[in-house]
Amino acid sequence: MKIDDYNLLLKLNEIGTVRGTAKVILISQPAVSQRLKFIEEYFGEIIFIRTSKRLKVTPSGELILKHAKEVIEREQIIKNRLAASSIEVKGTLSIACSSLVSQRYLPKILAKFTKEYPLVTIDLVTGMSEDIKQNSKDYHVNIIRGDKIKEPTSILLFKDPLYIFDTEPFKEDEVKTRPLISFKSDKSMHALFDNWLYHHQGSVNPVKKINVDQIETCKQFMIEGIGMAILPKSVAGSLVDNYHYLPLKVKGEPITRDTWLNYQPGIRKLPQVNHFIELLLEEFE
């Protein structure tokens, strides 16, 4: 059995389907099924029962999954100890990062980091901040947007003001009735806008909502005149010079989308993690 096999079992249990797991780990569905068959033959037990909705863990499977998690944790512990005891900065740096930050800020930071510390292996996972929070302890470093994680160390990297944009002007004496283009985000982002909209019902009244997956799609739809769009300053760029917009404020205070750095206490004893955090803080100071 390899570490990858144990990781596959945990991913199958997390996602619940062979098809979904294959899509996430970027290998074919038959390859996942064949690997699972090998693992079950290795242990001589059925680990998952296939149902029409999702995989169901058997009693034996529960024991094997627990073992898989323990094996992976022990593997990471020994890697961390070896990295901490080494004169050279090496080992693995695991990062879970919000999609927006990973696209706009992380490439530059990681390019500098990997140039300085070429022996460090980067394990990067991107996605929704809400999903990252649920598995925050699985990574050395978490970079999320919205509300901070309460338990580990949390450092505010930057505040990102929100704006509402449109190709048509916002007139003080008229209620703006236009479609609202909304991109896929976590609940805290939508709560910020809903709170603003509640306090500005007399000036903005969306007639319908158009939902899109990506923030860039939302931006382009607005540019084409399809409707209004709520965008953070970090994404807006030159839109503030070319389109009509309002900064989102409630009682005179700007509404911002905060970005946080989170990590577990003691994790900075690992040189590769400490150097990355220092570089990250330097970038946003």
Side-chain angles (χ1 to χ4, degrees), residues 6-205:
Y6 291 119
N7 278 317
L8 175 61
L9 289 180
L10 296 181
K11 188 60 68 175
L12 283 165
N13 186 50
E14 175 190 341
I15 295 174
T17 65
V18 172
R19 181 179 181 182
T21 301
K23 185 177 180 181
V24 169
I25 64 176
L26 303 178
I27 65 174
S28 69
Q29 187 173 336
V32 173
S33 297
Q34 186 63 34
R35 200 64 200 165
L36 176 58
K37 181 181 178 182
F38 164 80
I39 296 170
E40 290 182 326
E41 288 176 351
Y42 175 86
F43 283 107
E45 297 286 348
I46 299 298
I47 300 173
F48 296 105
I49 296 174
R50 285 75 164 168
T51 70
S52 58
K53 293 185 178 180
R54 62 173 290 126
L55 299 172
K56 299 293 184 181
V57 185
T58 65
S60 296
E62 290 180 356
L63 293 174
I64 294 170
L65 287 171
K66 181 182 178 182
H67 172 65
K69 186 176 181 181
E70 291 171 350
V71 168
I72 292 169
E73 288 175 349
R74 288 197 300 270
E75 180 84 2
Q76 191 58 53
I77 287 170
I78 191 63
K79 284 183 177 180
N80 288 343
R81 288 176 178 172
L82 290 170
S85 64
S86 175
I87 296 175
E88 292 183 298
V89 178
K90 57 184 181 180
T92 298
L93 170 64
S94 60
I95 308 167
C97 184
S98 115
S99 297
L100 186 146
V101 177
S102 68
Q103 292 168 8
R104 299 194 169 268
Y105 300 103
L106 213 53
K108 176 184 175 182
I109 296 169
L110 285 179
K112 185 175 181 180
F113 180 83
T114 54
K115 185 177 181 180
E116 291 187 30
Y117 308 107
L119 298 179
V120 176
T121 300
I122 306 295
D123 183 4
L124 174 64
V125 173
T126 65
M128 302 276 285
S129 293
E130 285 185 351
D131 296 333
I132 292 172
K133 288 178 184 179
Q134 294 177 6
N135 301 291
S136 62
K137 294 181 180 180
D138 294 340
Y139 308 98
H140 293 137
V141 175
N142 299 279
I143 305 171
I144 60 169
R145 286 168 66 80
D147 299 327
K148 66 179 180 180
I149 301 173
K150 295 180 180 179
E151 293 183 4
T153 302
S154 295
I155 300 173
L156 179 65
L157 293 179
F158 65 94
K159 289 180 173 290
D160 205 358
L162 297 180
Y163 300 95
I164 183 167
F165 289 90
D166 199 356
T167 53
E168 298 182 6
F170 295 85
K171 298 180 180 179
E172 292 185 6
D173 56 344
E174 293 182 9
V175 177
K176 192 172 184 65
T177 53
R178 291 268 286 154
L180 175 68
I181 308 158
S182 176
F183 61 90
K184 187 177 181 181
S185 185
D186 53 54
K187 294 178 182 178
S188 63
M189 171 66 179
H190 297 298
L192 289 174
F193 174 66
D194 289 343
N195 181 48
W196 179 84
L197 195 61
Y198 173 79
H199 287 87
H200 294 79
Q201 298 177 55
S203 56
V204 176
N205 181 27

